[in-house]
Amino acid sequence: MDDGRSTGSPVVHGFPHLETVRSAITALYRRLSYDGVRSYATSLAPADAAFSDQDDLYPGAQRVARALVQHLHLPDARMIVAFRAMEHAADVELAAGPEYFVELNDRFRTHRRDIGAALSHEVTHVLLHRLGLEFPGTRDNEILTDTVTTYLGAGWLLLDAFREDQVSSQKLGYLTPEEFGYVLAKRALAFDEDPSPWFTSPQAYTAYEKGRARALQDVRQPPLAAAGWAGRRRRYARDRRRARDHPDTPPAPDAPYAFGSGPQGLRVSFACPVCHQRIRVPVRGRVRARCGLCRTVLDCET
């Protein structure tokens, strides 16, 4: 795993990888199914990843690794944790198993509170390797790993490892702090949990709140009824009228929906606010739609 930055370098903020993150959530639901994702309904408990300076280094690292293996449903995987000088935060040797060798940067010898964060990403690499789930290219595959780690209940550790002040900063992973917050909020909405009490980093809490605000936008986009009357009346109504009058007009590239004609009349497609699979419904006023992938029932005003 890349640190995402080095000490003293500025931390990238915002949502530059949002489309890849959303694709990763869709890919996770497709690979695990609704029932498979729901089996991760309980997040990793803070006590399972706790690591104090008084803990013995190697037994403590092995204990946290075992907790992550169990949480990610890899009961037959054995993690051998070592430390060495290296450029990145951590690395894992992906082989057939059942033993996997994880190497952590030497700096974690003295930054033990973040060992769980580094291990969460590497153990998820093992999970994805076994599932055969990957994205092309190193960058997108690491974003997939960060996203899956977070959505399956262990990635709050990665966000909590983010700390920033006037003289130094630390961030683990490829996602920005706000993107970690976004995925964590998507999970929180899906599983009805509140991760905010687990944060020890004030900067992590702030990033979570910003990510949560962005995640809430997903459930308030037309044609979803939660968008409200004003949200539907403005641009959506105008675009719907244009689609009816000029069916060959291509959709605006930044619109969260697209209209299309079919044998039964005008239809609108949009991304499910939970798993981001595309859903298509008829344009006929009040409609209830059920996502075939994540089983979310959506109230729409089309």
Side-chain angles (χ1 to χ4, degrees):
M1 175 178 64
D2 193 334
D3 286 59
R5 38 129 272 109
S6 59
T7 302
S9 300
V11 173
V12 176
H13 289 278
F15 301 92
H17 313 112
L18 200 55
E19 289 310 309
T20 306
V21 166
R22 289 168 172 167
S23 296
I25 294 173
T26 307
L28 177 64
Y29 271 95
R30 286 176 177 165
R31 181 61 185 86
L32 287 185
S33 78
Y34 166 82
D35 290 328
V37 173
R38 296 298 302 184
S39 70
Y40 292 87
T42 302
S43 287
L44 181 75
D48 291 336
F51 203 130
S52 72
D53 291 338
Q54 286 71 46
D55 290 333
D56 291 335
L57 181 62
Y58 287 96
Q62 293 294 152
R63 171 182 58 79
V64 175
R66 283 195 300 271
L68 285 161
V69 164
Q70 292 171 1
H71 175 77
L72 291 173
H73 304 175
L74 290 166
D76 61 336
R78 298 192 295 271
M79 300 292 155
I80 310 301
V81 183
F83 298 81
R84 70 173 175 88
M86 56 195 302
E87 179 183 357
H88 301 317
D91 190 31
V92 62
E93 179 183 319
L94 293 176
E99 289 189 342
Y100 296 88
F101 294 89
V102 180
E103 294 180 313
L104 302 182
N105 192 299
D106 261 340
R107 65 185 171 87
F108 289 111
R109 292 177 181 270
T110 55
H111 292 78
R112 298 183 182 185
R113 62 184 286 191
D114 297 323
I115 283 177
L119 286 173
S120 69
H121 180 100
E122 302 309 319
V123 177
T124 303
H125 265 305
V126 174
L127 173 65
L128 294 176
H129 176 69
R130 289 191 168 195
L131 292 174
L133 179 58
E134 64 178 338
F135 279 179
T138 298
R139 170 188 169 275
D140 285 0
N141 203 51
E142 292 292 346
I143 291 171
L144 169 68
T145 305
D146 279 344
T147 302
V148 171
T149 306
T150 306
Y151 204 87
L152 295 186
W156 66 266
L157 293 166
L158 287 161
L159 179 54
D160 196 41
F162 167 54
R163 290 181 287 280
E164 189 174 39
D165 57 36
Q166 293 180 343
V167 296
S168 65
S169 58
Q170 173 185 277
K171 182 186 76 69
L172 300 180
Y174 273 63
L175 298 185
T176 69
E178 293 78 15
E179 287 169 341
F180 273 120
Y182 172 84
V183 181
L184 192 56
K186 299 285 279 190
R187 172 184 167 80
L189 291 169
F191 292 99
D192 192 25
E193 69 178 7
D194 179 13
S196 57
W198 307 332
F199 295 129
T200 62
S201 164
Q203 294 80 22
Y205 179 80
T206 300
Y208 171 68
E209 286 297 305
K210 291 179 179 178
R212 184 173 183 274
R214 189 61 176 260
L216 288 174
Q217 289 182 20
D218 292 348
V219 302
R220 296 170 181 164
Q221 296 277 11
L224 297 172
W229 179 82
R232 294 193 307 274
R233 178 176 175 83
R234 295 170 185 168
R235 181 175 178 179
Y236 180 81
R238 183 191 66 212
D239 290 346
R240 179 180 58 196
R241 185 168 54 252
R242 182 184 298 116
R244 280 177 171 152
D245 296 342
H246 307 283
D248 295 330
T249 302
D254 60 336
Y257 47 78
F259 293 98
S261 297
Q264 298 179 338
L266 193 65
R267 301 175 72 85
V268 61
S269 64
F270 59 97
C272 171
V274 174
C275 70
H276 295 281
Q277 175 169 264
R278 299 296 292 184
I279 297 172
R280 184 176 291 105
V281 297
V283 176
R284 61 182 185 203
R286 189 85 176 189
V287 174
R288 296 196 83 190
R290 185 175 184 267
C291 178
L293 185 58
C294 71
R295 303 185 186 177
T296 303
V297 177
L298 303 167
D299 287 320
C300 306
E301 285 283 359
T302 60

